[in-house]
Amino acid sequence: MDLIFENSFSQIKLLLRYSNKSTKDDLKYIWIAQERFAAYHLHSGDFTRARILREQNVEFWETNNESLKSIEYLSILLSASSSEIISQNYDKAGQYLCRAMPLAEKRSGTVVYPVFLLMKGIYCNYVSLYGKGNEEILDEGWIDKIVVRFKGLSVSEKFKEEAETSFLKILDIENNSNGNKSIEYVQGLHRLASFYLDQGDKIKANQLLKEAKQKCEKYKSTNVDLYYTILLSFTI
């Protein structure tokens, strides 16, 4: 399998040399192929190679005059930001997310929006705990400015609040789309509980985990991993 991937990857690198002569279909093929290679390396534990490939995809898309307003470009930015977060390159991840934000906001009613919120939530949570991030991701809208949402908060606390808001929005979307008894809603509860555990709020976390466990009972046979992950997440 590794040999097949290496041979295929060599062909992709050859195509990249002639990308200026490629058709739009060729360019789309190269983008998809590189993302698949990145996903393969990610699952294989080679996070560095996955990150490099996704970074190349961003540069490739931008330098070949492809649309910077398309859902494809948004997907590329979100994939790149996820790899940067895994590598703890929070500044670079923040740059990608800031570029993705206006594209995602315009698609707030589509399936890609919760993916953006998830990446934003994970990013803001990690930054609040471990390091300095890109504060442009905290850009306040006019409503926030009226209510002075972040008044008196430290930068870390701002990122923490933004992360919580993102995870709560995802939960609300899952509730409206699939109902509060769906497996997607259960996953959202567990995700929010995990955030509170990271932040040291065991009371809120355990309340959500209790609800998630109850709702997950009927899915236990088909979602064993999620069920026992919820059980193991409970804290004393």
Side-chain angles (χ1 to χ4, degrees):
M1 178 65 75
D2 287 341
L3 183 59
I4 294 174
F5 265 83
E6 289 299 329
N7 290 337
S8 299
F9 186 59
S10 296
Q11 294 176 25
I12 294 299
K13 288 195 289 185
L14 183 62
L15 284 173
L16 284 171
R17 291 172 56 188
Y18 301 100
S19 60
N20 61 324
K21 299 179 181 179
S22 300
T23 66
K24 283 193 173 294
D25 286 341
D26 292 333
L27 295 175
K28 187 175 182 180
Y29 166 74
I30 294 171
W31 155 55
I32 293 173
Q34 287 214 133
E35 174 55 32
R36 287 180 177 173
F37 283 121
Y40 167 75
H41 288 302
L42 190 65
H43 289 299
S44 300
D46 193 343
F47 303 136
T48 299
R49 199 164 188 180
R51 179 182 59 79
I52 291 172
L53 282 169
R54 285 175 168 171
E55 188 176 76
Q56 288 176 349
N57 244 354
V58 175
E59 295 174 358
F60 169 74
W61 192 266
E62 293 173 346
T63 56
N64 281 281
N65 299 317
E66 292 299 299
S67 173
L68 301 185
K69 296 181 180 180
S70 65
I71 193 168
E72 290 87 356
Y73 183 54
L74 173 57
S75 299
I76 290 169
L77 290 172
L78 292 177
S79 291
S81 65
S82 69
S83 285
E84 298 296 344
I85 291 171
I86 291 171
S87 300
Q88 298 183 352
N89 296 326
Y90 299 129
D91 186 59
K92 195 66 175 287
Q95 291 176 32
Y96 288 139
L97 284 173
C98 286
R99 281 144 74 180
M101 185 160 57
L103 303 179
E105 295 292 347
K106 290 179 180 179
R107 296 173 170 83
S108 59
T110 68
V111 293
V112 74
Y113 188 58
V115 178
F116 166 73
L117 289 175
L118 176 59
M119 295 311 308
K120 182 180 179 182
I122 292 171
Y123 172 76
C124 291
N125 182 36
Y126 282 167
V127 169
S128 75
L129 295 169
Y130 305 122
K132 186 178 179 180
N134 193 322
E135 291 184 51
E136 288 183 35
I137 201 72
L138 304 173
D139 186 31
E140 302 160 78
W142 66 272
I143 293 178
D144 292 328
K145 290 176 181 176
I146 290 175
V147 300
V148 199
R149 178 182 170 200
F150 290 134
K151 184 177 181 180
L153 297 181
S154 67
V155 174
S156 177
E157 289 170 331
K158 290 178 182 179
F159 277 106
K160 175 184 175 181
E161 183 167 311
E162 193 67 32
E164 182 180 32
T165 299
S166 296
F167 292 131
L168 285 169
K169 282 183 179 178
I170 296 173
L171 195 61
D172 187 54
I173 290 172
E174 295 299 353
N175 181 33
N176 292 332
S177 300
N178 303 299
N180 64 4
K181 295 181 181 180
S182 65
I183 190 64
E184 292 83 5
Y185 188 80
V186 172
Q187 291 169 334
L189 287 172
H190 177 252
R191 189 181 298 118
L192 183 58
S194 298
F195 161 73
Y196 287 129
L197 284 176
D198 286 343
Q199 296 292 337
D201 193 335
K202 296 180 180 179
I203 294 176
K204 281 187 178 180
N206 282 337
Q207 289 173 342
L208 290 168
L209 289 169
K210 182 179 179 181
E211 182 182 355
K213 176 182 174 296
Q214 291 172 343
K215 293 179 183 294
C216 196
E217 288 287 348
K218 69 175 184 178
Y219 300 109
K220 185 165 62 173
S221 61
T222 54
N223 291 272
V224 177
D225 289 345
L226 176 61
Y227 180 79
Y228 283 104
T229 298
I230 292 170
L231 285 181
L232 292 171
S233 297
F234 277 98
T235 59
I236 299 175

